[in-house]
Amino acid sequence: LIAGGSVAEGYYQMPEKTATDFVTDPDTGRVWFATGDVGELSSAGVLKIIDRKKDLVKLVSGEYISLGKIESTLALCSYLTSILA
């Protein structure tokens, strides 16, 4: 889950999808977005993304793109290998 000023409060004109992917904290009113990422928290308090529920994301333009395709391209960059390890 993520929240903050740069995170949307829902999908435009899609109340059913918004109800599925966005959660409002009843105590604070803060809206949280369920990203679909699967993570594990280390004993040091570091969050590591280890998987995701779905591989496709929809861009603002409406195009769907595979995150695996992006990751495989970024893996070719020697500066990012430790991030993708």
Side-chain angles (χ1 to χ4, degrees):
L1 297 172
I2 60 171
S6 62
V7 178
E9 293 187 4
Y11 293 110
Y12 180 68
Q13 296 184 351
M14 298 175 65
E16 303 85 17
K17 182 80 172 138
T18 296
T20 302
D21 294 347
F22 291 83
V23 180
T24 302
D25 184 324
D27 297 326
T28 64
R30 176 172 265 191
V31 177
W32 293 86
F33 173 61
T35 64
D37 292 320
V38 178
E40 68 182 15
L41 198 56
S42 74
S43 58
V46 176
L47 176 64
K48 180 179 180 183
I49 305 299
I50 58 172
D51 202 359
R52 61 181 51 91
K53 291 182 180 181
K54 59 183 177 181
D55 187 52
L56 293 177
V57 293
K58 187 175 182 180
L59 302 178
V60 174
S61 64
E63 177 186 0
Y64 283 93
I65 188 162
S66 166
L67 295 176
K69 188 175 189 178
I70 294 171
E71 286 178 358
S72 63
T73 301
L74 291 175
L76 299 174
C77 177
S78 60
Y79 296 110
L80 301 177
T81 54
S82 63
I83 295 172
L84 299 171

